[in-house]
Each structure stands twice: as structure tokens, then as C-alpha cells.
Amino acid sequence: NAGVTQTPKFQVLKTGQSMTLQCAQDMNHEYMSWYRQDPGMGLRLIHYSVGAGITDQGEVPNGYNVSRSTTEDFPLRLLSAAPSQTSVYFCASSSLGPLHFGNGTRLTVT
Amino acid sequence: AQKITQTQPGMFVQEKEAVTLDCTYDTSDQSYGLFWYKQPSSGEMIFLIYQGSYDEQNATEGRYSLNFQKARKSANLVISASQLGDSAMYFCAMREAEDSNYQLIWGAGTKLIIKP
């Protein structure tokens, strides 16, 4: 029972590089989302999806893209990494109950 | 205005004592849900307890209970008989009914440290 799987766990990027954070869930949840967590702050919503083919922006979407081609997968793309995107990123999914979180990706942009 | 306020950035509690973590919220919805999550130093987010706005009884899950005072708009987490493993960040979150997209609004968290 994998739940929500995020890869990679750690990543270091140089400014201007692009990359994709992967997220997959096996619970058939229609809702998936990406959050970032910065020191001393709660979670801030980047993008979310309420089903395959449907995505929308959250509180802090700039610099990130998402797509939802399947129910299971919800990748987050950093288009041109900036030091301000240094953070811990969480993917989460739910039906109508609580959010189920992945274990997070710690991203450092130098 | 903040919708979820956790006024205690950090707390120290002696092991085996009970601890109350404060959470106040602001919403004009009649139907909403309140969640508590635990984040240990290892980083994962662990769901602890849920309270619906129409639930007449306070939610309980093992050593966790939610002291829900609707008129005061507070949803405090109570941990009975604290253990060293309870040391973690604790986040309060709310889902408003009018938001049909399942989004949660998060507080800034409380860092709880249990002293042996």
C-alpha cells in the first residue's frame, strides 16, 4: 500500500535549470495538490487538480507548471529554477477526507 | 486576515503531562472541517484528527482529542499523557464547504518539545 510517492527525496539545482518533481498515488483520489513549506511558515498551495485533465493555480503558482494526464500522476515542473524556490515540496491527495501526503522533496537552488 | 491562527510558535512540556495546542479559525461558512497534522523531524506529514463543524461531539483518536468550541471558533488539540515521540511540529488546517476543490487553509504551526 504505497499511498503517495514522491521522487526525488533530495535535489540540488543551479539557477536557471529546470526539473520535474514526480508524484504518484495509488488510492484513486480525484484531488491532488502540490505544496511548498518554508521555515517558520505553514504549507502554501502551489497548484492543484480535481481530476485528470483539470488543474488550477493555488496561492504561489509562479515559476511552476503542472499537468494531470492520469488520475495517478501529478508532476510539478520548475521551468527555470531560482534561489527563492529553495524549499521542501509536498504532494498530497485526497478524496473527501484528510489529505494524504508524500514524504516530501527537499530542493536547494544555488 | 489570517483564517487559521496558531498563537504558540513553540511549547515545552514535561513528559506524561497533557498538552493543549491552540488553533483559532475564521470562516463565514456554516459547514467546514478542521484538521490537525503532525510533522516530526523526519519531515512527513501525519494526519491526526478531524472535526466537522456539525459534529456534536468532540473528536477523539487515541491520546488525541479536539476541544471544539464553535462559538469561539477554536479547535484546540489536546494530547493526553505526552510522550517523547510527540515532539514535532503540529499544524491546524481548515477546509471550507464553499470550496469545492478540497483545499485546506493552514496555520503556521506549533513546535512542541517534550522534555524527559
Side-chain angles (χ1 to χ4, degrees):
Chain A
N1 191 1
V4 180
T5 303
Q6 275 185 249
T7 56
K9 286 192 173 185
F10 301 94
Q11 183 70 50
V12 179
L13 292 178
K14 294 187 188 305
T15 298
Q17 287 184 318
S18 62
M19 79 158 294
T20 299
L21 306 185
Q22 301 291 344
C23 176
Q25 54 94 6
D26 61 0
M27 296 172 283
N28 202 32
H29 287 164
E30 62 271 23
Y31 177 78
M32 296 186 74
S33 55
W34 278 100
Y35 287 91
R36 61 177 288 172
Q37 184 179 32
D38 300 299
M41 301 181 72
L43 297 171
R44 292 187 291 169
L45 183 65
I46 305 171
H47 285 284
Y48 65 94
S49 168
V50 297
I54 306 169
T55 63
D56 206 345
Q57 297 180 351
E59 181 185 356
V60 287
N62 292 342
Y64 308 95
N65 272 356
V66 291
S67 60
R68 184 98 178 267
S69 57
T70 67
T71 300
E72 294 77 21
D73 300 300
F74 191 46
L76 177 73
R77 298 183 188 83
L78 279 72
L79 309 172
S80 177
S84 61
Q85 293 179 305
T86 294
S87 189
V88 179
Y89 291 84
F90 287 98
C91 178
S93 73
S94 77
S95 181
L96 289 178
L99 287 177
H100 298 258
F101 284 86
N103 286 333
T105 297
R106 186 173 295 275
L107 175 67
T108 302
V109 183
T110 61
Chain B
Q2 287 190 341
K3 287 205 164 189
I4 295 286
T5 303
Q6 295 182 253
T7 57
Q8 307 149 311
M11 287 185 71
F12 288 88
V13 172
Q14 200 68 39
E15 188 181 9
K16 299 180 185 174
E17 289 183 352
V19 56
T20 298
L21 304 180
D22 295 339
C23 173
T24 58
Y25 59 91
D26 182 25
T27 182
S28 55
D29 287 0
Q30 295 302 308
S31 177
Y32 51 89
L34 296 153
F35 301 80
W36 277 93
Y37 282 82
K38 172 184 178 181
Q39 187 178 38
S41 58
S42 51
E44 69 269 32
M45 295 289 287
I46 302 167
F47 166 70
L48 294 178
I49 196 166
Y50 168 80
Q51 179 84 40
S53 59
Y54 289 120
D55 294 341
E56 293 187 353
Q57 293 196 338
N58 287 345
T60 60
E61 290 286 348
R63 292 186 300 112
Y64 304 107
S65 60
L66 202 152
N67 183 3
F68 181 47
Q69 298 187 40
K70 197 169 181 177
R72 298 179 62 181
K73 294 189 175 179
S74 75
N76 298 339
L77 177 71
V78 180
I79 307 174
S80 63
S82 58
Q83 302 171 357
L84 296 179
D86 294 332
S87 294
M89 283 289 292
Y90 289 82
F91 292 95
C92 179
M94 175 175 66
R95 174 183 295 147
E96 295 175 297
E98 289 188 2
D99 187 326
S100 60
N101 293 325
Y102 313 101
Q103 293 183 55
L104 295 188
I105 303 163
W106 294 84
T110 295
K111 184 168 185 176
L112 175 64
I113 297 174
I114 306 298
K115 300 182 292 183

PDB file of all heavy atoms in Angstrom, chain B residues 36-71:
ATOM      1  N   TRP B  36      -5.958  18.375  12.149  1.00  0.00           N
ATOM      2  CA  TRP B  36      -4.657  18.532  12.783  1.00  0.00           C
ATOM      3  C   TRP B  36      -3.698  17.522  12.168  1.00  0.00           C
ATOM      4  O   TRP B  36      -4.044  16.351  11.979  1.00  0.00           O
ATOM      5  CB  TRP B  36      -4.720  18.301  14.286  1.00  0.00           C
ATOM      6  CG  TRP B  36      -5.155  19.501  15.054  1.00  0.00           C
ATOM      7  CD1 TRP B  36      -6.417  19.829  15.437  1.00  0.00           C
ATOM      8  CD2 TRP B  36      -4.311  20.541  15.562  1.00  0.00           C
ATOM      9  NE1 TRP B  36      -6.423  21.009  16.141  1.00  0.00           N
ATOM     10  CE2 TRP B  36      -5.126  21.464  16.228  1.00  0.00           C
ATOM     11  CE3 TRP B  36      -2.925  20.779  15.512  1.00  0.00           C
ATOM     12  CZ2 TRP B  36      -4.629  22.610  16.854  1.00  0.00           C
ATOM     13  CZ3 TRP B  36      -2.425  21.904  16.121  1.00  0.00           C
ATOM     14  CH2 TRP B  36      -3.277  22.812  16.790  1.00  0.00           C
ATOM     15  N   TYR B  37      -2.500  18.025  11.871  1.00  0.00           N
ATOM     16  CA  TYR B  37      -1.429  17.187  11.330  1.00  0.00           C
ATOM     17  C   TYR B  37      -0.198  17.328  12.216  1.00  0.00           C
ATOM     18  O   TYR B  37       0.064  18.389  12.785  1.00  0.00           O
ATOM     19  CB  TYR B  37      -1.062  17.612   9.904  1.00  0.00           C
ATOM     20  CG  TYR B  37      -2.028  17.145   8.853  1.00  0.00           C
ATOM     21  CD1 TYR B  37      -3.205  17.845   8.616  1.00  0.00           C
ATOM     22  CD2 TYR B  37      -1.769  16.015   8.099  1.00  0.00           C
ATOM     23  CE1 TYR B  37      -4.100  17.420   7.644  1.00  0.00           C
ATOM     24  CE2 TYR B  37      -2.660  15.581   7.121  1.00  0.00           C
ATOM     25  CZ  TYR B  37      -3.818  16.294   6.914  1.00  0.00           C
ATOM     26  OH  TYR B  37      -4.703  15.873   5.952  1.00  0.00           O
ATOM     27  N   LYS B  38       0.578  16.247  12.247  1.00  0.00           N
ATOM     28  CA  LYS B  38       1.845  16.224  12.978  1.00  0.00           C
ATOM     29  C   LYS B  38       2.984  16.084  11.973  1.00  0.00           C
ATOM     30  O   LYS B  38       2.881  15.295  11.025  1.00  0.00           O
ATOM     31  CB  LYS B  38       1.863  15.030  13.941  1.00  0.00           C
ATOM     32  CG  LYS B  38       3.178  14.757  14.636  1.00  0.00           C
ATOM     33  CD  LYS B  38       3.065  13.489  15.489  1.00  0.00           C
ATOM     34  CE  LYS B  38       4.367  13.151  16.176  1.00  0.00           C
ATOM     35  NZ  LYS B  38       4.257  11.895  16.978  1.00  0.00           N
ATOM     36  N   GLN B  39       4.039  16.853  12.172  1.00  0.00           N
ATOM     37  CA  GLN B  39       5.215  16.735  11.315  1.00  0.00           C
ATOM     38  C   GLN B  39       6.442  16.513  12.197  1.00  0.00           C
ATOM     39  O   GLN B  39       7.004  17.458  12.747  1.00  0.00           O
ATOM     40  CB  GLN B  39       5.404  17.970  10.441  1.00  0.00           C
ATOM     41  CG  GLN B  39       6.533  17.813   9.420  1.00  0.00           C
ATOM     42  CD  GLN B  39       6.693  19.022   8.524  1.00  0.00           C
ATOM     43  OE1 GLN B  39       6.548  20.161   8.951  1.00  0.00           O
ATOM     44  NE2 GLN B  39       7.004  18.782   7.255  1.00  0.00           N
ATOM     45  N   PRO B  40       6.888  15.279  12.350  1.00  0.00           N
ATOM     46  CA  PRO B  40       8.105  15.031  13.137  1.00  0.00           C
ATOM     47  C   PRO B  40       9.333  15.535  12.399  1.00  0.00           C
ATOM     48  O   PRO B  40       9.251  15.968  11.240  1.00  0.00           O
ATOM     49  CB  PRO B  40       8.111  13.502  13.297  1.00  0.00           C
ATOM     50  CG  PRO B  40       7.211  12.984  12.227  1.00  0.00           C
ATOM     51  CD  PRO B  40       6.260  14.064  11.845  1.00  0.00           C
ATOM     52  N   SER B  41      10.466  15.436  13.051  1.00  0.00           N
ATOM     53  CA  SER B  41      11.709  15.958  12.464  1.00  0.00           C
ATOM     54  C   SER B  41      12.089  15.235  11.186  1.00  0.00           C
ATOM     55  O   SER B  41      12.840  15.772  10.364  1.00  0.00           O
ATOM     56  CB  SER B  41      12.847  15.866  13.476  1.00  0.00           C
ATOM     57  OG  SER B  41      13.025  14.533  13.891  1.00  0.00           O
ATOM     58  N   SER B  42      11.571  14.045  10.996  1.00  0.00           N
ATOM     59  CA  SER B  42      11.836  13.301   9.760  1.00  0.00           C
ATOM     60  C   SER B  42      11.118  13.915   8.562  1.00  0.00           C
ATOM     61  O   SER B  42      11.439  13.583   7.415  1.00  0.00           O
ATOM     62  CB  SER B  42      11.429  11.839   9.929  1.00  0.00           C
ATOM     63  OG  SER B  42      10.102  11.761  10.419  1.00  0.00           O
ATOM     64  N   GLY B  43      10.135  14.785   8.804  1.00  0.00           N
ATOM     65  CA  GLY B  43       9.563  15.590   7.733  1.00  0.00           C
ATOM     66  C   GLY B  43       8.222  15.186   7.187  1.00  0.00           C
ATOM     67  O   GLY B  43       7.572  15.999   6.521  1.00  0.00           O
ATOM     68  N   GLU B  44       7.771  13.971   7.440  1.00  0.00           N
ATOM     69  CA  GLU B  44       6.496  13.578   6.837  1.00  0.00           C
ATOM     70  C   GLU B  44       5.327  14.242   7.554  1.00  0.00           C
ATOM     71  O   GLU B  44       5.436  14.660   8.691  1.00  0.00           O
ATOM     72  CB  GLU B  44       6.324  12.046   6.853  1.00  0.00           C
ATOM     73  CG  GLU B  44       6.130  11.432   8.227  1.00  0.00           C
ATOM     74  CD  GLU B  44       7.426  11.009   8.878  1.00  0.00           C
ATOM     75  OE1 GLU B  44       8.463  11.674   8.629  1.00  0.00           O
ATOM     76  OE2 GLU B  44       7.380  10.042   9.659  1.00  0.00           O
ATOM     77  N   MET B  45       4.236  14.375   6.862  1.00  0.00           N
ATOM     78  CA  MET B  45       3.010  14.961   7.410  1.00  0.00           C
ATOM     79  C   MET B  45       2.055  13.829   7.762  1.00  0.00           C
ATOM     80  O   MET B  45       1.674  13.030   6.905  1.00  0.00           O
ATOM     81  CB  MET B  45       2.349  15.890   6.392  1.00  0.00           C
ATOM     82  CG  MET B  45       3.169  17.103   6.040  1.00  0.00           C
ATOM     83  SD  MET B  45       3.250  18.291   7.393  1.00  0.00           S
ATOM     84  CE  MET B  45       1.606  18.965   7.335  1.00  0.00           C
ATOM     85  N   ILE B  46       1.660  13.799   9.036  1.00  0.00           N
ATOM     86  CA  ILE B  46       0.842  12.699   9.549  1.00  0.00           C
ATOM     87  C   ILE B  46      -0.502  13.264  10.003  1.00  0.00           C
ATOM     88  O   ILE B  46      -0.552  14.131  10.877  1.00  0.00           O
ATOM     89  CB  ILE B  46       1.541  11.998  10.723  1.00  0.00           C
ATOM     90  CG1 ILE B  46       2.912  11.479  10.286  1.00  0.00           C
ATOM     91  CG2 ILE B  46       0.674  10.877  11.280  1.00  0.00           C
ATOM     92  CD1 ILE B  46       3.800  11.055  11.443  1.00  0.00           C
ATOM     93  N   PHE B  47      -1.587  12.765   9.431  1.00  0.00           N
ATOM     94  CA  PHE B  47      -2.921  13.185   9.832  1.00  0.00           C
ATOM     95  C   PHE B  47      -3.241  12.645  11.222  1.00  0.00           C
ATOM     96  O   PHE B  47      -3.034  11.459  11.500  1.00  0.00           O
ATOM     97  CB  PHE B  47      -3.949  12.683   8.816  1.00  0.00           C
ATOM     98  CG  PHE B  47      -5.368  12.771   9.298  1.00  0.00           C
ATOM     99  CD1 PHE B  47      -5.979  14.006   9.457  1.00  0.00           C
ATOM    100  CD2 PHE B  47      -6.085  11.636   9.612  1.00  0.00           C
ATOM    101  CE1 PHE B  47      -7.282  14.104   9.906  1.00  0.00           C
ATOM    102  CE2 PHE B  47      -7.389  11.707  10.060  1.00  0.00           C
ATOM    103  CZ  PHE B  47      -7.984  12.948  10.211  1.00  0.00           C
ATOM    104  N   LEU B  48      -3.759  13.511  12.104  1.00  0.00           N
ATOM    105  CA  LEU B  48      -4.059  13.100  13.468  1.00  0.00           C
ATOM    106  C   LEU B  48      -5.555  12.983  13.724  1.00  0.00           C
ATOM    107  O   LEU B  48      -6.033  11.975  14.249  1.00  0.00           O
ATOM    108  CB  LEU B  48      -3.486  14.113  14.462  1.00  0.00           C
ATOM    109  CG  LEU B  48      -1.970  14.230  14.543  1.00  0.00           C
ATOM    110  CD1 LEU B  48      -1.589  15.306  15.549  1.00  0.00           C
ATOM    111  CD2 LEU B  48      -1.333  12.908  14.902  1.00  0.00           C
ATOM    112  N   ILE B  49      -6.309  14.044  13.391  1.00  0.00           N
ATOM    113  CA  ILE B  49      -7.684  14.096  13.849  1.00  0.00           C
ATOM    114  C   ILE B  49      -8.473  15.089  13.023  1.00  0.00           C
ATOM    115  O   ILE B  49      -7.910  16.056  12.495  1.00  0.00           O
ATOM    116  CB  ILE B  49      -7.727  14.451  15.358  1.00  0.00           C
ATOM    117  CG1 ILE B  49      -9.079  14.132  15.984  1.00  0.00           C
ATOM    118  CG2 ILE B  49      -7.323  15.905  15.592  1.00  0.00           C
ATOM    119  CD1 ILE B  49      -9.026  14.144  17.519  1.00  0.00           C
ATOM    120  N   TYR B  50      -9.773  14.837  12.910  1.00  0.00           N
ATOM    121  CA  TYR B  50     -10.667  15.681  12.114  1.00  0.00           C
ATOM    122  C   TYR B  50     -11.926  15.998  12.922  1.00  0.00           C
ATOM    123  O   TYR B  50     -12.436  15.145  13.660  1.00  0.00           O
ATOM    124  CB  TYR B  50     -11.065  14.954  10.830  1.00  0.00           C
ATOM    125  CG  TYR B  50     -12.206  15.611  10.094  1.00  0.00           C
ATOM    126  CD1 TYR B  50     -11.971  16.713   9.280  1.00  0.00           C
ATOM    127  CD2 TYR B  50     -13.514  15.152  10.216  1.00  0.00           C
ATOM    128  CE1 TYR B  50     -13.012  17.330   8.603  1.00  0.00           C
ATOM    129  CE2 TYR B  50     -14.561  15.766   9.541  1.00  0.00           C
ATOM    130  CZ  TYR B  50     -14.298  16.852   8.730  1.00  0.00           C
ATOM    131  OH  TYR B  50     -15.323  17.468   8.076  1.00  0.00           O
ATOM    132  N   GLN B  51     -12.399  17.254  12.764  1.00  0.00           N
ATOM    133  CA  GLN B  51     -13.648  17.690  13.388  1.00  0.00           C
ATOM    134  C   GLN B  51     -14.501  18.392  12.353  1.00  0.00           C
ATOM    135  O   GLN B  51     -14.052  19.364  11.747  1.00  0.00           O
ATOM    136  CB  GLN B  51     -13.366  18.653  14.545  1.00  0.00           C
ATOM    137  CG  GLN B  51     -14.599  19.177  15.252  1.00  0.00           C
ATOM    138  CD  GLN B  51     -15.116  18.236  16.318  1.00  0.00           C
ATOM    139  OE1 GLN B  51     -14.342  17.640  17.054  1.00  0.00           O
ATOM    140  NE2 GLN B  51     -16.421  18.105  16.441  1.00  0.00           N
ATOM    141  N   GLY B  52     -15.717  17.914  12.137  1.00  0.00           N
ATOM    142  CA  GLY B  52     -16.648  18.608  11.258  1.00  0.00           C
ATOM    143  C   GLY B  52     -17.436  19.633  12.047  1.00  0.00           C
ATOM    144  O   GLY B  52     -17.712  19.444  13.233  1.00  0.00           O
ATOM    145  N   SER B  53     -17.826  20.693  11.376  1.00  0.00           N
ATOM    146  CA  SER B  53     -18.500  21.784  12.081  1.00  0.00           C
ATOM    147  C   SER B  53     -19.850  21.371  12.635  1.00  0.00           C
ATOM    148  O   SER B  53     -20.360  21.975  13.579  1.00  0.00           O
ATOM    149  CB  SER B  53     -18.669  22.990  11.150  1.00  0.00           C
ATOM    150  OG  SER B  53     -19.423  22.641  10.000  1.00  0.00           O
ATOM    151  N   TYR B  54     -20.453  20.335  12.064  1.00  0.00           N
ATOM    152  CA  TYR B  54     -21.755  19.883  12.552  1.00  0.00           C
ATOM    153  C   TYR B  54     -21.647  18.715  13.522  1.00  0.00           C
ATOM    154  O   TYR B  54     -22.667  18.224  14.014  1.00  0.00           O
ATOM    155  CB  TYR B  54     -22.648  19.496  11.373  1.00  0.00           C
ATOM    156  CG  TYR B  54     -23.115  20.689  10.564  1.00  0.00           C
ATOM    157  CD1 TYR B  54     -22.803  20.807   9.219  1.00  0.00           C
ATOM    158  CD2 TYR B  54     -23.862  21.707  11.156  1.00  0.00           C
ATOM    159  CE1 TYR B  54     -23.230  21.901   8.471  1.00  0.00           C
ATOM    160  CE2 TYR B  54     -24.284  22.801  10.424  1.00  0.00           C
ATOM    161  CZ  TYR B  54     -23.968  22.886   9.080  1.00  0.00           C
ATOM    162  OH  TYR B  54     -24.390  23.977   8.348  1.00  0.00           O
ATOM    163  N   ASP B  55     -20.420  18.276  13.769  1.00  0.00           N
ATOM    164  CA  ASP B  55     -20.247  17.170  14.722  1.00  0.00           C
ATOM    165  C   ASP B  55     -20.569  17.670  16.118  1.00  0.00           C
ATOM    166  O   ASP B  55     -19.988  18.672  16.578  1.00  0.00           O
ATOM    167  CB  ASP B  55     -18.809  16.640  14.667  1.00  0.00           C
ATOM    168  CG  ASP B  55     -18.486  15.985  13.340  1.00  0.00           C
ATOM    169  OD1 ASP B  55     -19.441  15.616  12.617  1.00  0.00           O
ATOM    170  OD2 ASP B  55     -17.297  15.851  13.023  1.00  0.00           O
ATOM    171  N   GLU B  56     -21.462  16.965  16.799  1.00  0.00           N
ATOM    172  CA  GLU B  56     -21.890  17.424  18.120  1.00  0.00           C
ATOM    173  C   GLU B  56     -20.888  17.075  19.206  1.00  0.00           C
ATOM    174  O   GLU B  56     -20.800  17.769  20.223  1.00  0.00           O
ATOM    175  CB  GLU B  56     -23.261  16.846  18.450  1.00  0.00           C
ATOM    176  CG  GLU B  56     -24.363  17.388  17.544  1.00  0.00           C
ATOM    177  CD  GLU B  56     -25.745  16.936  17.974  1.00  0.00           C
ATOM    178  OE1 GLU B  56     -25.826  16.099  18.895  1.00  0.00           O
ATOM    179  OE2 GLU B  56     -26.731  17.417  17.385  1.00  0.00           O
ATOM    180  N   GLN B  57     -20.147  16.016  18.978  1.00  0.00           N
ATOM    181  CA  GLN B  57     -19.174  15.612  19.986  1.00  0.00           C
ATOM    182  C   GLN B  57     -17.764  15.950  19.515  1.00  0.00           C
ATOM    183  O   GLN B  57     -17.463  15.922  18.321  1.00  0.00           O
ATOM    184  CB  GLN B  57     -19.285  14.109  20.230  1.00  0.00           C
ATOM    185  CG  GLN B  57     -20.601  13.701  20.888  1.00  0.00           C
ATOM    186  CD  GLN B  57     -20.543  12.299  21.461  1.00  0.00           C
ATOM    187  OE1 GLN B  57     -19.700  11.509  21.027  1.00  0.00           O
ATOM    188  NE2 GLN B  57     -21.382  11.996  22.420  1.00  0.00           N
ATOM    189  N   ASN B  58     -16.916  16.231  20.469  1.00  0.00           N
ATOM    190  CA  ASN B  58     -15.517  16.474  20.154  1.00  0.00           C
ATOM    191  C   ASN B  58     -14.874  15.196  19.635  1.00  0.00           C
ATOM    192  O   ASN B  58     -15.103  14.106  20.168  1.00  0.00           O
ATOM    193  CB  ASN B  58     -14.758  16.958  21.389  1.00  0.00           C
ATOM    194  CG  ASN B  58     -15.099  18.387  21.749  1.00  0.00           C
ATOM    195  OD1 ASN B  58     -15.676  19.119  20.948  1.00  0.00           O
ATOM    196  ND2 ASN B  58     -14.759  18.785  22.957  1.00  0.00           N
ATOM    197  N   ALA B  59     -14.066  15.346  18.582  1.00  0.00           N
ATOM    198  CA  ALA B  59     -13.394  14.191  18.006  1.00  0.00           C
ATOM    199  C   ALA B  59     -12.311  13.667  18.946  1.00  0.00           C
ATOM    200  O   ALA B  59     -11.649  14.448  19.646  1.00  0.00           O
ATOM    201  CB  ALA B  59     -12.787  14.564  16.662  1.00  0.00           C
ATOM    202  N   THR B  60     -12.143  12.362  18.957  1.00  0.00           N
ATOM    203  CA  THR B  60     -11.060  11.744  19.721  1.00  0.00           C
ATOM    204  C   THR B  60     -10.437  10.642  18.868  1.00  0.00           C
ATOM    205  O   THR B  60     -11.129   9.946  18.116  1.00  0.00           O
ATOM    206  CB  THR B  60     -11.544  11.135  21.046  1.00  0.00           C
ATOM    207  OG1 THR B  60     -12.524  10.134  20.750  1.00  0.00           O
ATOM    208  CG2 THR B  60     -12.157  12.184  21.956  1.00  0.00           C
ATOM    209  N   GLU B  61      -9.118  10.524  19.005  1.00  0.00           N
ATOM    210  CA  GLU B  61      -8.361   9.458  18.339  1.00  0.00           C
ATOM    211  C   GLU B  61      -7.238   9.053  19.272  1.00  0.00           C
ATOM    212  O   GLU B  61      -6.183   9.685  19.321  1.00  0.00           O
ATOM    213  CB  GLU B  61      -7.767   9.935  17.000  1.00  0.00           C
ATOM    214  CG  GLU B  61      -8.750  10.188  15.894  1.00  0.00           C
ATOM    215  CD  GLU B  61      -9.298   8.915  15.290  1.00  0.00           C
ATOM    216  OE1 GLU B  61      -8.752   7.827  15.565  1.00  0.00           O
ATOM    217  OE2 GLU B  61     -10.285   9.003  14.529  1.00  0.00           O
ATOM    218  N   GLY B  62      -7.469   8.020  20.064  1.00  0.00           N
ATOM    219  CA  GLY B  62      -6.441   7.577  21.000  1.00  0.00           C
ATOM    220  C   GLY B  62      -6.114   8.658  22.018  1.00  0.00           C
ATOM    221  O   GLY B  62      -6.995   9.136  22.730  1.00  0.00           O
ATOM    222  N   ARG B  63      -4.837   9.069  22.057  1.00  0.00           N
ATOM    223  CA  ARG B  63      -4.436  10.102  23.020  1.00  0.00           C
ATOM    224  C   ARG B  63      -4.754  11.526  22.537  1.00  0.00           C
ATOM    225  O   ARG B  63      -4.511  12.493  23.254  1.00  0.00           O
ATOM    226  CB  ARG B  63      -2.937   9.987  23.301  1.00  0.00           C
ATOM    227  CG  ARG B  63      -2.537   8.722  24.060  1.00  0.00           C
ATOM    228  CD  ARG B  63      -1.061   8.745  24.446  1.00  0.00           C
ATOM    229  NE  ARG B  63      -0.192   8.841  23.280  1.00  0.00           N
ATOM    230  CZ  ARG B  63       0.559   9.895  22.989  1.00  0.00           C
ATOM    231  NH1 ARG B  63       0.560  10.953  23.793  1.00  0.00           N
ATOM    232  NH2 ARG B  63       1.340   9.887  21.930  1.00  0.00           N
ATOM    233  N   TYR B  64      -5.257  11.627  21.316  1.00  0.00           N
ATOM    234  CA  TYR B  64      -5.570  12.944  20.752  1.00  0.00           C
ATOM    235  C   TYR B  64      -7.066  13.227  20.879  1.00  0.00           C
ATOM    236  O   TYR B  64      -7.892  12.367  20.612  1.00  0.00           O
ATOM    237  CB  TYR B  64      -5.182  13.008  19.269  1.00  0.00           C
ATOM    238  CG  TYR B  64      -3.745  12.687  18.983  1.00  0.00           C
ATOM    239  CD1 TYR B  64      -3.380  11.485  18.379  1.00  0.00           C
ATOM    240  CD2 TYR B  64      -2.735  13.588  19.317  1.00  0.00           C
ATOM    241  CE1 TYR B  64      -2.057  11.184  18.115  1.00  0.00           C
ATOM    242  CE2 TYR B  64      -1.406  13.294  19.055  1.00  0.00           C
ATOM    243  CZ  TYR B  64      -1.075  12.088  18.460  1.00  0.00           C
ATOM    244  OH  TYR B  64       0.235  11.787  18.201  1.00  0.00           O
ATOM    245  N   SER B  65      -7.371  14.427  21.270  1.00  0.00           N
ATOM    246  CA  SER B  65      -8.751  14.879  21.241  1.00  0.00           C
ATOM    247  C   SER B  65      -8.770  16.323  20.752  1.00  0.00           C
ATOM    248  O   SER B  65      -7.764  17.039  20.844  1.00  0.00           O
ATOM    249  CB  SER B  65      -9.428  14.754  22.609  1.00  0.00           C
ATOM    250  OG  SER B  65      -8.745  15.541  23.563  1.00  0.00           O
ATOM    251  N   LEU B  66      -9.894  16.705  20.229  1.00  0.00           N
ATOM    252  CA  LEU B  66     -10.030  18.050  19.698  1.00  0.00           C
ATOM    253  C   LEU B  66     -11.065  18.777  20.544  1.00  0.00           C
ATOM    254  O   LEU B  66     -12.214  18.339  20.621  1.00  0.00           O
ATOM    255  CB  LEU B  66     -10.448  17.996  18.220  1.00  0.00           C
ATOM    256  CG  LEU B  66     -10.140  19.232  17.377  1.00  0.00           C
ATOM    257  CD1 LEU B  66      -9.937  18.854  15.909  1.00  0.00           C
ATOM    258  CD2 LEU B  66     -11.254  20.246  17.509  1.00  0.00           C
ATOM    259  N   ASN B  67     -10.650  19.841  21.187  1.00  0.00           N
ATOM    260  CA  ASN B  67     -11.549  20.652  22.001  1.00  0.00           C
ATOM    261  C   ASN B  67     -12.172  21.707  21.084  1.00  0.00           C
ATOM    262  O   ASN B  67     -11.586  22.766  20.847  1.00  0.00           O
ATOM    263  CB  ASN B  67     -10.772  21.304  23.145  1.00  0.00           C
ATOM    264  CG  ASN B  67     -11.669  22.091  24.068  1.00  0.00           C
ATOM    265  OD1 ASN B  67     -12.896  22.117  23.898  1.00  0.00           O
ATOM    266  ND2 ASN B  67     -11.085  22.743  25.042  1.00  0.00           N
ATOM    267  N   PHE B  68     -13.359  21.389  20.581  1.00  0.00           N
ATOM    268  CA  PHE B  68     -14.014  22.213  19.574  1.00  0.00           C
ATOM    269  C   PHE B  68     -15.004  23.149  20.252  1.00  0.00           C
ATOM    270  O   PHE B  68     -15.976  22.686  20.877  1.00  0.00           O
ATOM    271  CB  PHE B  68     -14.734  21.314  18.560  1.00  0.00           C
ATOM    272  CG  PHE B  68     -15.430  22.026  17.447  1.00  0.00           C
ATOM    273  CD1 PHE B  68     -14.797  23.029  16.736  1.00  0.00           C
ATOM    274  CD2 PHE B  68     -16.733  21.674  17.095  1.00  0.00           C
ATOM    275  CE1 PHE B  68     -15.443  23.675  15.692  1.00  0.00           C
ATOM    276  CE2 PHE B  68     -17.383  22.316  16.048  1.00  0.00           C
ATOM    277  CZ  PHE B  68     -16.738  23.317  15.349  1.00  0.00           C
ATOM    278  N   GLN B  69     -14.738  24.451  20.152  1.00  0.00           N
ATOM    279  CA  GLN B  69     -15.649  25.456  20.707  1.00  0.00           C
ATOM    280  C   GLN B  69     -16.089  26.347  19.552  1.00  0.00           C
ATOM    281  O   GLN B  69     -15.403  27.306  19.190  1.00  0.00           O
ATOM    282  CB  GLN B  69     -14.955  26.241  21.814  1.00  0.00           C
ATOM    283  CG  GLN B  69     -14.547  25.350  22.978  1.00  0.00           C
ATOM    284  CD  GLN B  69     -14.006  26.152  24.143  1.00  0.00           C
ATOM    285  OE1 GLN B  69     -14.523  27.216  24.473  1.00  0.00           O
ATOM    286  NE2 GLN B  69     -12.971  25.634  24.761  1.00  0.00           N
ATOM    287  N   LYS B  70     -17.243  25.990  19.014  1.00  0.00           N
ATOM    288  CA  LYS B  70     -17.704  26.608  17.770  1.00  0.00           C
ATOM    289  C   LYS B  70     -17.943  28.096  17.928  1.00  0.00           C
ATOM    290  O   LYS B  70     -17.585  28.886  17.056  1.00  0.00           O
ATOM    291  CB  LYS B  70     -18.981  25.902  17.314  1.00  0.00           C
ATOM    292  CG  LYS B  70     -19.371  26.132  15.873  1.00  0.00           C
ATOM    293  CD  LYS B  70     -20.474  25.172  15.508  1.00  0.00           C
ATOM    294  CE  LYS B  70     -20.893  25.331  14.059  1.00  0.00           C
ATOM    295  NZ  LYS B  70     -21.926  24.338  13.686  1.00  0.00           N
ATOM    296  N   ALA B  71     -18.564  28.496  19.027  1.00  0.00           N
ATOM    297  CA  ALA B  71     -18.883  29.911  19.208  1.00  0.00           C
ATOM    298  C   ALA B  71     -17.618  30.755  19.314  1.00  0.00           C
ATOM    299  O   ALA B  71     -17.596  31.911  18.878  1.00  0.00           O
ATOM    300  CB  ALA B  71     -19.741  30.089  20.459  1.00  0.00           C
TER     301      ALA B  71
END
